[in-house]
Amino acid sequence: MTTENLIDGIVSLLGNALEGVEVIRAYPERQIQPRLVQKTVAVGFDGTELSSSSLDSSERSGEYRVFADIFVPASFGSGETAEIFNRICDAYSAFNILSLSAERISFDSVLSAYVLKTSATFGGEYEIGGADDE
Amino acid sequence: MDRGNIIKQQLKKSGGAVCVNGGEAFYAVVTHLWRRKSSSFESIATELGLVNPKYYLYIGPYDVDINEFDENAVLTFDGDTFEFKVKDRVAAGGSVLYYTGILRKTGEAE
């Protein structure tokens, strides 16, 4: 597994699990309206701690972290962020998940939205790099 | 004619038709509030995409009390939508002359 297909996989997983929520890769090249209208989750790579399985192998095993930041338009209320986080936890439960974390709910005045920043740590085999060419 | 009415007539000449929450149209001046910081002209990169918040000055007639609109009020002008960030009443001699405020653009005409 590589960074690219890891994030694609999480976006796809959460997209299927979160009905009524737009799930995207974080920091897309697009202009958006100055006020958020749809509940959105932005997914991105948060970091990793890996070690070699063997000296002659390019594969690594260890932990990798993915963030899934939840944005809810102000009109829905802040409680909706926790509801979406619960559904994300349910979606992750099928995987080898090592830890989950969430920060305090904050308000983004640029987007007029409540924000809950969350992160999940998974364990497993991993290959550092971009798209998988195999 | 009192001063509030005189200003209202001037707004009719110099302003554009606006409405709040789809109600009856009236005339007001809505102009872009250019700020001095150059960063105000640049989009802000957020996790969801690039955002360019734009602020406008509102001047409206004495007989449309914008203080009565709640925080979810939507002002429509030229197909664009705005929300009120600041609302103020300008009065002199015991009578209201006009209302002023700061608007933030929330949506652009298709």
Side-chain angles (χ1 to χ4, degrees):
Chain A
M1 185 167 50
T2 65
T3 308
E4 289 298 310
N5 55 28
L6 166 69
I7 300 303
D8 285 343
I10 298 290
V11 168
S12 174
L13 171 76
L14 296 183
N16 292 329
L18 303 176
E19 195 181 338
V21 179
E22 185 186 16
V23 180
I24 62 165
R25 292 176 70 113
Y27 298 100
E29 279 288 321
R30 64 173 185 177
Q31 195 79 34
I32 58 172
Q33 296 281 0
R35 188 178 203 176
L36 189 66
V37 292
Q38 188 175 5
K39 291 176 272 188
T40 307
V41 172
V43 177
F45 192 69
D46 202 21
T48 184
E49 285 179 27
L50 301 169
S51 59
S52 298
S53 305
S54 64
L55 287 174
D56 57 351
S57 169
S58 64
E59 285 203 344
R60 308 283 188 272
S61 62
E63 303 174 2
Y64 47 91
R65 292 186 302 278
V66 174
F67 70 80
D69 293 344
I70 302 162
F71 295 80
V72 171
S75 57
F76 286 92
S78 61
E80 191 70 19
T81 56
E83 171 63 28
I84 293 172
F85 183 50
N86 285 340
R87 288 155 66 191
I88 289 175
C89 293
D90 286 343
Y92 284 160
S93 61
F95 294 88
N96 180 21
I97 189 155
L98 303 177
S99 71
L100 271 168
S101 66
E103 296 180 6
R104 293 179 190 170
I105 296 170
S106 59
F107 189 79
D108 186 320
S109 58
V110 173
L111 296 166
S112 293
Y114 291 103
V115 183
L116 180 60
K117 291 180 179 286
T118 77
S119 182
T121 305
F122 300 90
E125 297 287 318
Y126 188 76
E127 188 176 338
I128 294 174
D132 195 349
D133 293 326
E134 291 177 20
Chain B
M1 186 183 282
D2 64 46
R3 287 182 292 176
N5 250 322
I6 292 169
I7 293 171
K8 183 178 178 178
Q9 295 310 315
Q10 293 304 315
L11 290 172
K12 218 168 195 173
K13 292 175 185 169
S14 56
V18 305
C19 69
V20 177
N21 297 333
E24 192 179 335
F26 58 96
Y27 286 87
V29 170
V30 176
T31 55
H32 200 294
L33 196 63
W34 300 110
R35 292 189 293 177
R36 290 177 186 163
K37 286 170 63 181
S38 60
S39 59
S40 301
F41 301 104
E42 308 294 337
S43 294
I44 299 166
T46 74
E47 286 178 56
L48 308 187
L50 299 167
V51 185
N52 192 355
K54 293 175 182 167
Y55 294 88
Y56 290 73
L57 174 67
Y58 166 92
I59 299 173
Y62 74 97
D63 55 355
V64 179
D65 185 354
I66 58 175
N67 290 314
E68 288 182 356
F69 301 134
D70 66 21
E71 61 185 20
N72 297 317
V74 176
L75 182 141
T76 307
F77 172 66
D78 224 9
D80 297 334
T81 55
F82 303 83
E83 63 181 357
F84 284 98
K85 302 302 287 185
V86 178
K87 292 177 274 190
D88 198 13
R89 185 182 67 151
V90 178
S95 61
V96 178
L97 299 181
Y98 60 92
Y99 286 87
T100 184
I102 302 297
L103 301 166
R104 183 187 183 202
K105 187 180 275 188
T106 54
E108 295 189 338
E110 295 288 322

